[in-house]
Amino acid sequence: MDKQLFRNATRHKIIQAVTFFFVIFCITPTIAQQKDTLYVQEYPHKWWIKTFVPNKMLIILHNKEAYNATYPQNIGVGIGLRKIIGMNLLVSFSVFPLKTDTGLSSSITDFQMHKYGKRLLIDGYYQDYRGFFTQWEQNGKKAYTLFPDLAVKRWGLDGTYVLRHRRLSLRAAFEQSEKQIKSAGSLLLGSGFYYHKIVPDASQQQSLTAAFDNYQIGANIGYAYSWVVSPRWLLAGMVSAGVNIGNNSQIFAWHNLRAYPASIGRLTLNYNREDWSFALTGIFNNKIVYSPSAQSFALLAPTTQFTVTWHIR
């Protein structure tokens, strides 16, 4: 198969995957069953507004070295409308770069989408990071090696089905648009499609000598639990782990498929009142990729967020 045929086949598979997730995203609200009101209840309010402070990161682990970028401080606002399939639109802005003594200014584009349906969770992300550094000790002081042209680009789509969705509300835990009345848990089943590209810094001596990209598709299984500590406090978490299959586009073929471990987790602590709430949430999305020479790269993408939500009648 020549390169043009491979590109066309890959593009066709991507379109199929995106279409599948889009159809699921659209039909989920119409086919979802009613919640068990002994466990989950809706707010009586018709819409809500949010302010939040997100901190997004991307870390490369390779040969026992951690490559970090310099991150800006962001702040965001959002609005939600209950009548429009539980729409929740959030936008964040870079306010100022966090001060570091590395002398490096990373270029970062980081877009994330999380759709918390009644029984289906959709995650989408696009990340494009350029400019990393490593840190080490020299004479008792911090020292840095800069990789201004080291770049990582990745995007992906995840779908997660909640089996006991009538009693467990992901919206209550991670969106604060419903209320979890009693503690509940559920098994999770998921799948996803992912793309990664790593470009080395030609100005530095690295074990990776050439850029490569990587395609993966896979399935995962997990568990989620929401613990109603008191009528005001909720502690919830979910974790999924699985195996993806795929390879680099240069050597992609069915007989050359590799297996890649993957995991994603969430944790949140919420405080809820009748018409407002706040939440401290963490999302941890980890993937592993291999170069054509079988070098391993772990891509860790933790996101933490502090959110305040006001419900308005």
Side-chain angles (χ1 to χ4, degrees):
M1 181 183 292
D2 60 29
K3 291 184 178 179
Q4 186 60 42
L5 288 175
F6 170 76
R7 293 192 187 98
N8 292 337
T10 302
R11 188 179 300 111
H12 180 66
K13 292 176 181 177
I14 293 173
I15 293 173
Q16 286 181 323
V18 172
T19 302
F20 169 77
F21 280 107
F22 178 77
V23 170
I24 294 297
F25 175 84
C26 291
I27 68 175
T28 297
T30 62
I31 63 178
Q33 301 175 11
Q34 293 297 317
K35 293 286 187 179
D36 185 338
T37 55
L38 294 177
Y39 284 80
V40 179
Q41 295 179 6
E42 291 188 347
Y43 281 95
H45 310 79
K46 295 181 180 179
W47 59 293
W48 58 90
I49 57 175
K50 294 175 178 282
T51 58
F52 61 97
V53 180
N55 290 293
K56 304 174 183 179
M57 303 174 67
L58 180 62
I59 303 168
I60 309 170
L61 298 183
H62 175 59
N63 286 345
K64 300 181 179 180
E65 289 276 8
Y67 297 78
N68 283 277
T70 56
Y71 306 102
Q73 180 61 63
N74 297 313
I75 190 169
V77 295
I79 185 171
L81 299 173
R82 195 174 308 282
K83 295 298 183 181
I84 307 180
I85 62 172
M87 187 197 76
N88 200 58
L89 177 64
L90 303 177
V91 179
S92 64
F93 307 92
S94 175
V95 181
F96 55 83
L98 295 179
K99 185 178 181 180
T100 68
D101 52 2
T102 63
L104 176 70
S105 179
S106 301
S107 173
I108 296 176
T109 300
D110 194 320
F111 169 79
Q112 300 181 31
M113 180 274 293
H114 308 287
K115 167 60 179 176
Y116 297 99
K118 289 186 179 294
R119 62 177 175 179
L120 190 67
L121 165 63
I122 302 291
D123 288 312
Y125 61 87
Y126 174 86
Q127 295 177 304
D128 190 350
Y129 281 62
R130 179 178 296 274
F132 291 81
F133 68 90
T134 59
Q135 180 180 312
W136 43 286
E137 293 284 335
Q138 185 179 41
N139 299 325
K141 297 182 179 180
K142 293 181 180 179
Y144 305 96
T145 302
L146 306 186
F147 302 86
D149 293 324
L150 175 60
V152 175
K153 179 182 292 186
R154 66 181 211 146
W155 56 261
L157 280 172
D158 279 293
T160 303
Y161 182 80
V162 183
L163 270 69
R164 298 186 67 198
H165 53 86
R166 296 186 68 245
R167 293 188 172 184
L168 176 69
S169 172
L170 297 184
R171 289 180 174 179
F174 301 103
E175 194 178 66
Q176 297 85 54
S177 60
E178 293 180 342
K179 293 184 286 187
Q180 187 80 40
I181 307 303
K182 291 184 178 182
S183 301
S186 176
L187 190 69
L188 308 172
L189 300 176
S191 63
F193 181 85
Y194 319 99
Y195 170 81
H196 311 85
K197 183 175 183 178
I198 299 180
V199 180
D201 189 329
S203 66
Q204 295 285 351
Q205 184 177 2
Q206 299 169 265
S207 58
L208 180 65
T209 57
F212 72 94
D213 55 10
N214 176 271
Y215 296 87
Q216 299 181 22
I217 188 170
N220 56 74
I221 187 170
Y223 191 79
Y225 190 80
S226 285
W227 177 30
V228 180
V229 181
S230 73
R232 301 295 186 195
W233 290 94
L234 175 71
L235 180 62
M238 57 183 290
V239 62
S240 296
V243 176
N244 300 331
I245 59 172
N247 216 325
N248 313 120
S249 62
Q250 297 92 332
I251 54 176
F252 193 93
W254 289 112
H255 62 278
N256 278 329
L257 292 179
R258 290 180 178 270
Y260 302 85
S263 64
I264 183 170
R266 284 173 168 82
L267 186 66
T268 186
L269 176 65
N270 301 351
Y271 178 77
N272 303 297
R273 302 288 293 188
E274 286 74 16
D275 55 1
W276 67 274
S277 63
F278 73 77
L280 181 60
T281 304
I283 302 176
F284 311 93
N285 189 346
N286 305 323
K287 299 289 187 296
I288 292 180
V289 299
Y290 296 102
S291 70
S293 58
Q295 298 181 70
S296 173
F297 295 81
L299 302 178
L300 312 182
T303 297
T304 60
Q305 181 169 301
F306 177 77
T307 306
V308 179
T309 303
W310 290 272
H311 296 272
I312 302 173
R313 294 187 182 274

